[in-house]
Amino acid sequence: MDANDRPHANLAGVDTRPLRQQIADALQAAILSGEIKPGEALIETEIAGRLGVSRAPVREALQLLANSGLVETVPYRGTTVRQLSADDVEEVYSMRTVLETFALRRAMARDARATARALRDICDVMGQHAGSGDWSRVSAEDERFHRQLIGMAEHRLLGHAWRDLNMRVRQIMALRNLQNEDTMTIVYNHLPIVDAIEDGDVETAVQRLADHIATAADLVTELAEEAVAVAPGDDVGGPPER
Amino acid sequence: MDANDRPHANLAGVDTRPLRQQIADALQAAILSGEIKPGEALIETEIAGRLGVSRAPVREALQLLANSGLVETVPYRGTTVRQLSADDVEEVYSMRTVLETFALRRAMARDARATARALRDICDVMGQHAGSGDWSRVSAEDERFHRQLIGMAEHRLLGHAWRDLNMRVRQIMALRNLQNEDTMTIVYNHLPIVDAIEDGDVETAVQRLADHIATAADLVTELAEEAVAVAPGDDVGGPPER
DNA sequence: GCCATGTCGATTGTCGACAATCTGCATCGT
DNA sequence: ACGATGCAGATTGTCGACAATCGACATGGC
């Protein structure tokens, strides 16, 4: 989103970014697409060999991913894709509610009209994609809605925290695979929020936003329970000592 | 705090932790003590030479610090200690309010009694140190109060976010140098919060906590304006292009 | 004089090799 | 049989050297 905002820094996109960034992006995409599954080990040597680079940038890329919480690194034992326990999902969504309602209050205090306008535009686009049944684009617009909301708060710290959190959200959603009808119910929750914002009714807007996120969380946790029944995690706390 | 919680892993503290961690701790201490000032450049070669290690762990340590927001790294241009604009201070304290009020609600929902008990104990210790005029210990107990509050929420994501934020708070406080009377006013704000928690009055407790943090923020921003008048930052957005 | 270009020193980015540590299995003594 | 000890093998941690990039100054053409 902020990669090529320089006028024409490179004619054909030679990708002059540091390798660690490119590697981190590649790994992140692989994790979010489910190509690399939770619990799986990310071995530096292997990744470096596969990408044809040295281990140094791979290590730094892994550290990047560790910060955003996608992977977990234990000294001398390696890094693995984070497992998602039910508690994790609850934490992610409760935190998301906190951050986004804060953003909403702040954005409305700053300029409720502008906030409503920007969000309504996104809702329009989302509605179009929903009409033509393009669910991946609907989902993309949904994310853009929330990202825009955060952006309107003009709070860099908040923006940074949300970006990390959003990655976890995407990881969670990648593991579920929502049905179309499911996202359907979420899509039409956006407009009432915008309406409340436009009316300047902070508390109603906050309440609706919180409900909206809670609905998404419920949907995801339901699917999680089904998934757990099929594919048990190794997080069950078995007795094997040391 | 969680370094030597293993029974007796090492007899005499050989410090078997990865170098990056030790380096990061050392740098962090240097930054928080004011030994390294905001805006100052952290040159990998120099740090490595001074500590007698290679650049690799130094780079990783710097990345660690960049995550917690203490330093800022620009590709190919180096890492510098973050400057603290007035906006930064506002962001840190507003975010802190959000996180801690969330923690308070959650802790009270979990077990208000236990929360009140734990916090009151800390207040007692804080009172003792205040009585004997040991202000550095008072400040340490103040931090422990808030850390405990976060801990009672039983929310790892929240705990992680707060830990990073707390580092920023400490950086801010390190640059001010509060007077004793100033901390004084803050110390006696803790007990009313605990009282409200014990009564199970969530909204009052939240309000008092928010006020408490706001008071601390005001105190700090006042001192900030004085400091700015003396030492101007280079963040003023001068016209020099490219 | 002014802008484009070339060069230089400093610093970061990347690489390949070596050392330290962990896990699991075999070995040994009892 | 059982637990402690001591190897491998694999993987991460650290190192020193080389390459790429940046900012600033000097140089040259207009």
Side-chain angles (χ1 to χ4, degrees):
Chain A
M1 171 163 284
D2 56 0
N4 281 8
D5 54 358
R6 290 162 294 184
H8 51 82
N10 39 20
L11 297 266
V14 192
D15 207 343
T16 171
R17 293 174 311 164
L19 271 183
R20 56 165 173 271
Q21 203 66 40
Q22 303 181 41
I23 298 172
D25 286 353
L27 288 176
Q28 173 183 319
I31 293 173
L32 293 184
S33 75
E35 189 179 338
I36 310 178
K37 299 192 193 71
E40 196 165 332
L42 295 173
I43 292 133
E44 300 173 359
T45 313
E46 185 197 324
I47 298 172
R50 185 175 317 184
L51 297 182
V53 298
S54 155
R55 269 180 55 216
V58 173
R59 281 176 67 82
E60 299 186 352
L62 289 178
Q63 213 174 331
L64 262 305
L65 295 182
N67 300 358
S68 46
L70 275 185
V71 306
E72 200 170 14
T73 300
V74 179
Y76 285 111
R77 306 238 325 220
T79 72
T80 57
V81 179
R82 265 205 85 177
Q83 292 275 10
L84 285 172
S85 70
D87 283 347
D88 284 324
V89 175
E90 190 274 334
E91 289 191 5
V92 165
Y93 278 90
S94 61
M95 183 65 107
R96 196 182 161 190
T97 303
V98 170
L99 294 187
E100 295 202 13
T101 54
F102 172 51
L104 177 54
R105 287 183 194 278
R106 196 173 164 102
M108 288 184 69
R110 182 172 296 277
D111 188 343
R113 286 290 177 78
T115 304
R117 209 177 313 129
L119 294 182
R120 195 178 292 280
D121 286 349
I122 295 175
C123 282
D124 289 345
V125 177
M126 185 158 37
Q128 289 176 348
H129 290 311
S132 49
D134 190 341
W135 299 106
S136 74
R137 281 181 202 272
V138 169
S139 168
E141 288 303 313
D142 175 60
E143 178 176 329
R144 207 158 74 85
F145 180 94
H146 293 276
R147 183 195 307 282
Q148 178 71 27
L149 174 60
I150 297 292
M152 301 291 289
E154 302 263 341
H155 194 303
R156 288 162 300 193
L157 218 53
L158 175 62
H160 194 279
W162 185 85
R163 192 173 7 254
D164 287 350
L165 195 61
N166 185 49
M167 231 165 259
R168 303 290 293 275
V169 172
R170 287 175 61 179
Q171 183 189 17
I172 292 172
M173 298 212 307
L175 295 178
R176 314 297 184 233
N177 242 29
L178 299 175
Q179 305 302 317
N180 295 346
E181 331 129 31
D182 296 333
T183 60
M184 204 52 167
T185 66
I186 295 179
V187 167
Y188 296 111
N189 271 8
H190 287 92
L191 277 171
I193 299 173
V194 177
D195 291 338
I197 295 173
E198 199 156 39
D199 293 346
D201 187 345
V202 176
E203 294 310 319
T204 301
V206 165
Q207 188 57 51
R208 286 178 182 169
L209 175 61
D211 288 346
H212 166 59
I213 297 175
T215 303
D218 287 347
L219 218 61
V220 159
T221 43
E222 279 177 26
L223 294 174
E225 283 159 12
E226 298 172 14
V228 165
V230 177
D234 36 331
D235 202 16
V236 285
E241 283 297 316
R242 60 171 63 184
Chain B
M1 173 161 285
D2 56 357
N4 282 8
D5 53 357
R6 291 162 294 185
H8 52 83
N10 38 21
L11 301 251
V14 194
D15 208 344
T16 169
R17 294 174 312 164
L19 272 185
R20 55 166 174 270
Q21 203 65 40
Q22 304 182 39
I23 297 171
D25 286 352
L27 288 176
Q28 173 183 318
I31 292 174
L32 293 184
S33 76
E35 188 178 340
I36 309 179
K37 297 193 196 71
E40 196 166 331
L42 295 173
I43 292 136
E44 300 173 358
T45 314
E46 185 198 324
I47 298 172
R50 185 175 315 184
L51 298 182
V53 299
S54 154
R55 270 180 52 216
V58 173
R59 282 176 68 80
E60 299 185 353
L62 289 178
Q63 214 174 328
L64 263 300
L65 296 183
N67 300 355
S68 46
L70 275 186
V71 304
E72 199 172 14
T73 299
V74 180
Y76 286 110
R77 305 239 324 226
T79 76
T80 56
V81 178
R82 264 205 87 179
Q83 292 276 9
L84 285 171
S85 69
D87 284 348
D88 283 324
V89 176
E90 190 275 334
E91 288 190 5
V92 165
Y93 278 89
S94 61
M95 184 65 106
R96 196 181 162 191
T97 303
V98 170
L99 294 187
E100 295 201 14
T101 54
F102 172 52
L104 177 54
R105 287 182 194 279
R106 197 174 164 103
M108 288 185 69
R110 183 172 295 277
D111 188 342
R113 287 289 178 78
T115 304
R117 209 178 314 127
L119 294 182
R120 195 178 292 281
D121 286 349
I122 295 175
C123 282
D124 289 346
V125 178
M126 184 158 36
Q128 290 176 348
H129 291 311
S132 50
D134 191 339
W135 299 107
S136 74
R137 282 183 202 271
V138 169
S139 167
E141 288 303 313
D142 175 60
E143 179 175 331
R144 208 158 74 85
F145 180 94
H146 294 277
R147 185 196 306 281
Q148 178 72 27
L149 174 61
I150 296 291
M152 302 290 290
E154 303 264 341
H155 193 302
R156 290 163 300 195
L157 219 50
L158 175 62
H160 194 278
W162 185 85
R163 190 172 9 253
D164 287 350
L165 196 60
N166 186 48
M167 232 163 257
R168 302 289 293 275
V169 171
R170 287 175 61 179
Q171 184 189 16
I172 291 173
M173 298 212 306
L175 295 178
R176 314 297 183 236
N177 243 30
L178 299 175
Q179 305 301 319
N180 294 347
E181 334 133 24
D182 297 333
T183 60
M184 204 52 168
T185 66
I186 296 179
V187 167
Y188 296 111
N189 271 7
H190 287 93
L191 277 172
I193 299 173
V194 178
D195 290 337
I197 295 173
E198 199 156 40
D199 293 346
D201 186 345
V202 177
E203 294 310 319
T204 300
V206 166
Q207 188 58 50
R208 286 178 182 170
L209 176 60
D211 289 345
H212 166 59
I213 297 175
T215 303
D218 287 346
L219 217 61
V220 159
T221 43
E222 278 175 29
L223 294 174
E225 283 160 12
E226 297 171 16
V228 165
V230 177
D234 38 332
D235 203 14
V236 284
E241 282 299 315
R242 58 174 64 187

